Amino acid sequence: MAEASAQNDENHKKAAHGLRLVSRSTHLKEAGLRNLFLLCAFVAVLGVALIFLFVGWRGWSIFSTYGVGAFLGGAEWDPIDGIYGILPLIYGSLVVMGGALALGTPLAVGTAIFLSEIASPRVRSIVRPAVELLAGIPSVIFGFFGLLILRPFIASTSGGLGFGAATAWIILAIMIVPTIATLTEDALGSIQPGIREASYAMGATTWQTVYKVLVPAAKIGIIDAIILGMGRAIGETMAVLMVVGNAPVFPDSVTDPIATLTTQIVIDMPYATGDHRTALFGMAIILFIVSMGLVAAVRLISRLQSAMEANR
Amino acid sequence: SSSGASSAEIIVTGSTTILPIAEIAAEDFTDQHPGTRVLVSGVGSSAGIESVTRGSSDIGTSSRDLKPAEEELGLIDTPIAIDSIAVIVHPSNPVDALTSEQVRQIFSGEITNWSEVGGEDREIGLVNRDEASGTREAFHKIVMGDSKFDRSAAVLPGTGQVRSVVANAEIAVGYISLGFATSDVKVLAIDGVVPTPETVRSGEYPIQRTLHFFTDGEPTGLALEYIDFILSEEVQEGVVRDAGFLPIPREGD
Amino acid sequence: MTRMPAPIVSPTPAAPAPDGPDKITVKGLEFYYGDFHALTDVTVPIKSTAVTAFIGPSGCGKSTFIRCFNRMNDLIPGTRLEGKVTLDGQDIYAPGVDPVDLRRRVGMIFQQPNPFPMSIYDNVAFGPRLHGITKKSELDDLVRDSLDRANLWKEVKDILGRGGLTLSGGQQQRLCIARVLAVQPEVLLMDEPCSAIDPTSVQKIEDLMAVLKESITIIIVTHNMQQAARVSDFTAFFLQEVAGEAAVLVEYDRTTNVFTSPRDKRTEDYITGRFG
Amino acid sequence: MTRMPAPIVSPTPAAPAPDGPDKITVKGLEFYYGDFHALTDVTVPIKSTAVTAFIGPSGCGKSTFIRCFNRMNDLIPGTRLEGKVTLDGQDIYAPGVDPVDLRRRVGMIFQQPNPFPMSIYDNVAFGPRLHGITKKSELDDLVRDSLDRANLWKEVKDILGRGGLTLSGGQQQRLCIARVLAVQPEVLLMDEPCSAIDPTSVQKIEDLMAVLKESITIIIVTHNMQQAARVSDFTAFFLQEVAGEAAVLVEYDRTTNVFTSPRDKRTEDYITGRFG
Amino acid sequence: MSKRIANQIALALLWTSALTTVAVLFAVILYVVVNGIGQLSLGFIFTWPRGVNAEGGVWPTIVSTLYVTALAMVIVTPIAILAAVYLAEYAVQGRLVSIIRCAADTLASVPSIVMGLFGLALFVEAAHIGFSMLSAALALTFLMLPIVMRTTEEAIRAVPKYIRWGSYGLGATKWQTVRRTVLPAAMPRILTGLILATGRAVGETAVVIYTMGQAINMPVSPLDSGRPMTVHLYLLAMEGINLPAAYGTALLLMIMILGFNLSARYLLRRTRKV
Ligand SMILES: Nc1ncnc2c1ncn2[C@@H]1O[C@H](COP(=O)(O)OP(=O)(O)OP(=O)(O)O)[C@@H](O)[C@H]1O
Ligand SMILES: Nc1ncnc2c1ncn2[C@@H]1O[C@H](COP(=O)(O)OP(=O)(O)OP(=O)(O)O)[C@@H](O)[C@H]1O
Ligand SMILES: [Mg+2]
Ligand SMILES: [Mg+2]
């Protein structure tokens, strides 16, 4: 007891020093670091601004000199003659993206549901890495694969050249599967586990649980995933370039050559000068705006979602 | 070889078609002549001719003949290779020969079915090269004249791909440098002439052009040595053939 | 050092439970999560139309055990069960038994109220729809009836279209009960149904249990010993004596006996709060 | 319907606590998480070199309150505090007061043992190093001494280089206590320090508290009323009566009084387990 | 019984989609391996391409790829990690943070061809850096920044808050807490994110094609141009004359990228166990 009270006294003595105030140097140091970190975080903002500025700077004049309507609405792309209508390219991008989504989404969502709801840990430990590795394979290798394996196959089944939207759909569908599947799996995984349990406990089968409870509950996340897959599809360049055939026209069939915004940029860039080059940068502006629009859509949807939840 | 030319430098500017030959030859050349430098750049034939005229380069390379206006500049022409373009189809295609006019009509989209040129009743699958390609440029100039290429043709940025696409699509037609034509595609006779080294050299085969080096006056010093190197059997049978061109006929031939 | 003797809980004997037949029996049950042996040698009867409470310290396997009754553990990969569990005399783990159908008969309520993210009506109609009832009038009746039995009808009858998640925690839990009642289960499993809700709601749910047990068999897991003493007729006490080893059923008896004269020293220690 | 009367906890009076001066005083404290008013009008003294227990149902703001003593709530954006909290008579929320230094003097132990992902030695040496002690021999002494006071030295003296996370839960919690003791705090805040660990370790930590409180002031949050009764000299009971409204301090007194003759009906209801 | 049949059919379809995904992966890998394995040799890896049709090896393209990737990592790592520290530890939810997040999301979704043209316009031309490792690395930096930022932020957020509290509770300042406890605890996952981003950079084509040039060159200084493996593969594949070299390059590229991915997975698994 005596010893304890001795220590007691000591504590009281220490207390006599009183509460220390924040020292100036600590304050400056912490504030300095904080601002440094903020600066780093701002590099992302800087990046977006720079892209907008420089791509815009190079491409903007096509809209003013050539005319927005003629550029976006023109049905002919013939740079040799100074005709820069990109409607066929926009059409090509949309067709290629649409088909890839139609093929890839069920595959991806199915894979995600499989991973999160059905696979045993063993099977999952094979399938999930496979999906992740698929995401890591460079697009030029998919293009290579598409060019040398898929195109001849399509050629022999369709009797055509094998280039065209159909070939791009398959390659691109494969490429967007990891994007959509991973995000969908996240969305399914973030559903409160109790809901899943409750459904099974009510006597629902796995499939009933999936489509009556889980998919509705993860709806927003799945839509986000598809939108991001869309962005990936519309921005993909090298793989598509190697399999579409690069004809800037409205094709007669899905096995006829077609071109997209991205592929036309790569095909033309080596020799483009003057207005032609400006037009290619103009196409880049459009791609940039589209990708920004998709990001905005995702954010908007999430915001609507949380607003709805707040209202409930 | 004169070692006196060492530590000298020449500039070679012009045709992108010639760029690969000129560049690779330059590497080999400088390997054999240490201390020399050969700077090669591809900016297009016209720019090459202009730059040698202005004196900003020692050799101007061109994949076309001189225009009348340029002929008055007094440039010395050294042909270095022949670029001959073969029109190719699938081996099973019954069509063996076309006229230049038919080829033009096919590639401009006026003829769209093989039956119109004596083949089966099938669509024609056009395979074109990208616009940056020298082969396309030459083909356009020699065959197409004022006609435009059909824009719905597949555009491939590489010779080998054109060949392999034609090799396994029965409806396809394309064109590549003669030197790259192999037995998995059928080379068509044009205006009744089958392209062979002989018919090309004799000038009977119509789709061909000569690749030139132009110098302002007789080449001397390192430029002469480099040109001689290009014309040597080593380069003619090696690099030139590898690039799909035909060697220039040698004086002894 | 100040130390008070541990306080002793002293309930008065409960009114005798309607000592019906065994609704469920468990014989020599062993349960494994992969390599981890969670429960060993559990043999216990569950009396029909009565409330049986499972108590024990955290991690002793109460949840694991209760989930054996509707084969919810089947959903966790790598689990293994030995021994025999019967419902009305039938082995529920026999080959060919459909767990989906079993779960309809043995309903379950969880610790966290977990309404589906849909309207109150759809929540309750979910089960009947699963099992093929689609007629509107029939569903309407079922929904009203189930909400009524769950003591929630009065509070929600005008807002059936509102999201189930907009209700308060206690209401959500009663909604979950209504949802289960709508499929007319014979057994109701409740895994700590009151630990996440407010005192007033707890009262309501305890009252509800007292009514429900007249028609169905109820099993409740609770960490609140006063609650076990208040609501149950029978009590089973589980204990994992050594961390990492399988838990055992230490004592099973009428609740009155367990709380007033436990046969096992460990039960007494636990009930009097000497650990846990 | 079977219902037993709620059991009553009946502790014997505790030995009188060393009724020292007030180490900490709280006057008219109001606490807000953004718009949510979590605590209202709390006025309470914390006696020096004694154990004060905070009890109350889940969500009543015990953790919120204990975090006011070392300004941990500062770390949660959007929180606001009104009223006055003093340590040795000085307002700890006065402008300019360094919360970093305050936290060194007022140590804290959390519900989940949270050793850093580094060696046992480094865990204990972490605090001293922060505050500028770098001499190896000095650190060695401090580490040994702190581990010794936390009753862990014997168990870990040969494995000081092993990762702190390799220890068992109970050892981890004692490691966390040692880690705090190494910075020689005057007050020790413990937020449910025993709820995540095994019974044997609980015993060890309760013994430890009994020793520590001879030299330092201890505040403990616990949901285990038996534990509160066993270890504390003073007890404060908090209650959030209406969900969504601010919680209040219902009763504060010597632990013996709170458990044997609570002045407030709500305290009695809580202690006897009628809710919570 | 129909619900059971529906269930069976649905399960079969789900299995099919998962197996398709796996099969595609193996098909692509198998295809590249089978065709490329014969090409792989020390000679192929360590010699220069020769002649018009790039006979010989791919050494300068490997060096260019590694060079530009390393350079990009050196630039992006500190910026991304500190930015993530800001977002995870310092930022108060508000306008500023949502602008930064929005920018990072946008950056992450910019098509790589646009990023390539941007690099061309800004670094190669406007800043007069020319076709070079540095231009390509800077353009790649913007590509990788959001990836590394996000994974790092997640890694930091995954550190249990209890660990932070422990540190604060001992009287550590914010920076001390971040540097001594949070970052070390998050480091394995941060590394994983870095490795994955590296894999992404190695496989990138469209960005580097317009910023690094295409000429085969052995880069020494950051201002040298070069041709990375992806561009080499693209040119070989499209030229279609020397396909064996294309297969060999594809296989090397694939080995590098799978190597990065697998090591990232390994790292993550190992740290999960501890
Ligand atoms: N999915 C699982 N995989 C492996 N072990 C598990 C799993 N679920 C539970 N366990 C272990 O089984 C034991 C019993 O867990 P259970 O959840 O049944 O305990 P409990 O008595 O319900 O505890 P509590 O009162 O905390 O809910 C514990 O040791 C737990 O760690
Ligand atoms: N960061 C936060 N933001 C907003 N509200 C909070 C936050 N932390 C706690 N609360 C709310 O403040 C109230 C008190 O919470 P607190 O954690 O202090 O309760 P508690 O008594 O410690 O509960 P428990 O026994 O469950 O630990 C609760 O209603 C809780 O929801
Ligand atoms: Mg449990
Ligand atoms: Mg708490």
Side-chain angles (χ1 to χ4, degrees), chain B:
Chain B
S1 58
S2 71
S3 54
S6 65
S7 85
E9 177 178 295
I10 52 168
I11 298 173
V12 180
T13 311
S15 162
T16 48
T17 310
I18 301 173
L19 181 67
I21 321 180
E23 210 170 37
I24 299 213
E27 275 172 30
D28 294 347
F29 179 76
T30 48
D31 281 353
Q32 292 173 18
H33 300 75
T36 64
R37 297 221 306 162
V38 178
L39 303 178
V40 185
S41 60
V43 293
S45 299
S46 301
I49 292 167
E50 195 193 314
S51 83
V52 72
T53 315
R54 273 194 287 105
S56 53
S57 57
D58 302 281
I59 299 174
T61 68
S62 169
S63 58
R64 63 172 168 80
D65 297 333
L66 294 179
K67 293 174 184 166
E70 289 164 344
E71 276 177 355
E72 288 157 24
L73 298 170
L75 297 178
I76 302 293
D77 175 6
T78 312
I80 56 142
I82 300 172
D83 182 10
S84 167
I85 300 171
V87 178
I88 55 172
V89 296
H90 192 266
S92 72
N93 195 323
V95 174
D96 293 320
L98 293 172
T99 64
S100 311
E101 176 58 11
Q102 282 174 323
V103 174
R104 185 190 66 75
Q105 286 174 320
I106 288 174
F107 274 92
S108 65
E110 290 161 46
I111 294 178
T112 57
N113 196 300
W114 282 113
S115 62
E116 295 173 59
V117 292
E120 294 165 6
D121 180 17
R122 321 179 67 154
E123 290 260 333
I124 295 176
L126 285 182
V127 182
N128 204 347
R129 286 294 309 276
D130 58 301
E131 307 214 29
S133 147
T135 314
R136 170 170 170 146
E137 185 197 343
F139 188 81
H140 189 257
K141 193 159 295 162
I142 299 166
V143 176
M144 302 297 287
D146 289 335
S147 304
K148 282 204 232 164
F149 282 116
D150 181 356
R151 300 206 67 83
S152 66
V155 171
L156 301 185
T159 302
Q161 277 312 318
V162 173
R163 185 178 65 196
S164 82
V165 168
V166 172
N168 54 37
E170 290 169 10
I171 63 166
V173 58
Y175 58 84
I176 56 176
S177 286
L178 184 59
F180 288 124
T182 50
S183 60
D184 47 2
V185 292
K186 173 159 42 165
V187 176
L188 297 183
I190 303 296
D191 297 335
V193 183
V194 178
T196 62
E198 292 69 39
T199 57
V200 169
R201 273 182 207 154
S202 68
E204 285 169 81
Y205 183 70
I207 313 179
Q208 63 165 294
R209 60 178 175 171
T210 305
L211 306 181
H212 310 266
F213 273 14
F214 289 109
T215 48
D216 193 6
E218 285 295 337
T220 55
L222 194 59
L224 178 61
E225 283 185 52
Y226 176 65
I227 291 176
D228 284 343
F229 181 69
I230 293 266
L231 292 176
S232 70
E233 184 165 356
E234 174 190 351
V235 173
Q236 289 285 314
E237 292 302 323
V239 176
V240 168
R241 275 199 192 279
D242 285 348
F245 303 128
L246 290 176
I248 207 77
R250 303 173 68 79
E251 272 126 60
D253 287 0

Side-chain angles (χ1 to χ4, degrees), chain C residues 1-5 7-15 199 203 206-207 210 213 224 226 229-230 233 255 272-276, chain D residues 1-5 7-12 14-15 199 203 206-207 210 213 224 226 229-230 233 255 272-276:
Chain C
M1 175 180 154
T2 322
R3 165 145 306 186
M4 274 178 268
I8 294 279
V9 178
S10 51
T12 53
Q203 186 63 52
E206 290 184 3
D207 292 346
K213 77 165 177 181
N224 181 326
Q226 282 82 17
R230 279 195 303 267
D233 306 301
T255 300
T272 55
R274 258 191 270 280
F275 63 84
Chain D
M1 177 178 152
T2 322
R3 164 145 307 182
M4 275 176 268
I8 295 279
V9 178
S10 53
T12 52
Q203 185 64 51
E206 290 184 3
D207 291 348
K213 77 166 179 179
N224 180 327
Q226 283 81 16
R230 281 195 301 269
D233 306 301
T255 300
T272 55
R274 259 191 270 280
F275 63 85

Side-chain angles (χ1 to χ4, degrees), chain E residues 45-99:
Chain E
I45 296 174
F46 289 109
T47 60
W48 280 60
R50 299 277 322 166
V52 195
N53 298 316
E55 312 292 341
V58 291
W59 180 233
T61 70
I62 297 179
V63 174
S64 295
T65 290
L66 294 178
Y67 197 123
V68 75
T69 307
L71 199 56
M73 292 312 293
V74 167
I75 301 170
V76 83
T77 306
I79 297 176
I81 291 183
L82 295 185
V85 165
Y86 180 81
L87 288 179
E89 294 287 325
Y90 284 79
V92 189
Q93 239 357 282
R95 202 175 193 80
L96 192 65
V97 172
S98 70
I99 288 175

Side-chain angles (χ1 to χ4, degrees), chain D residues 59 61-64 67 111 191-192 221:
Chain D
K62 307 179 295 293
S63 300
T64 305
R67 290 203 299 256
Q111 173 166 8
D191 190 354
E192 308 202 10
V221 169

Side-chain angles (χ1 to χ4, degrees), chain A residues 107-121 123-125 127-128 131 180-193 196-197 200 206-207 209-211 213-215 217-218 222, chain C residues 75-77, chain E residues 11 14-15 17-18:
Chain A
L107 191 63
V109 173
T111 304
I113 292 173
F114 177 82
L115 280 174
S116 91
E117 307 301 327
I118 295 172
S120 66
V123 175
R124 190 179 307 136
S125 72
V127 177
R128 183 173 300 133
V131 172
I180 301 182
T182 320
L183 291 168
T184 301
E185 203 197 336
D186 288 351
L188 289 171
S190 63
I191 295 176
Q192 197 199 330
R196 186 177 287 114
E197 283 197 318
Y200 284 114
T206 307
W207 176 239
T209 303
V210 166
Y211 91 103
V213 178
L214 299 180
V215 170
I222 296 177
Chain C
L75 301 171
I76 302 172
Chain E
L11 292 194
L14 293 173
W15 268 96
S17 51

Side-chain angles (χ1 to χ4, degrees), chain C residues 33 36 38 56-65 76 111 191-192 240:
Chain C
Y33 286 109
F36 174 58
S58 186
C60 69
K62 305 178 295 294
S63 298
T64 305
F65 188 51
I76 302 172
Q111 174 166 9
D191 190 356
E192 307 203 13
Q240 179 189 33

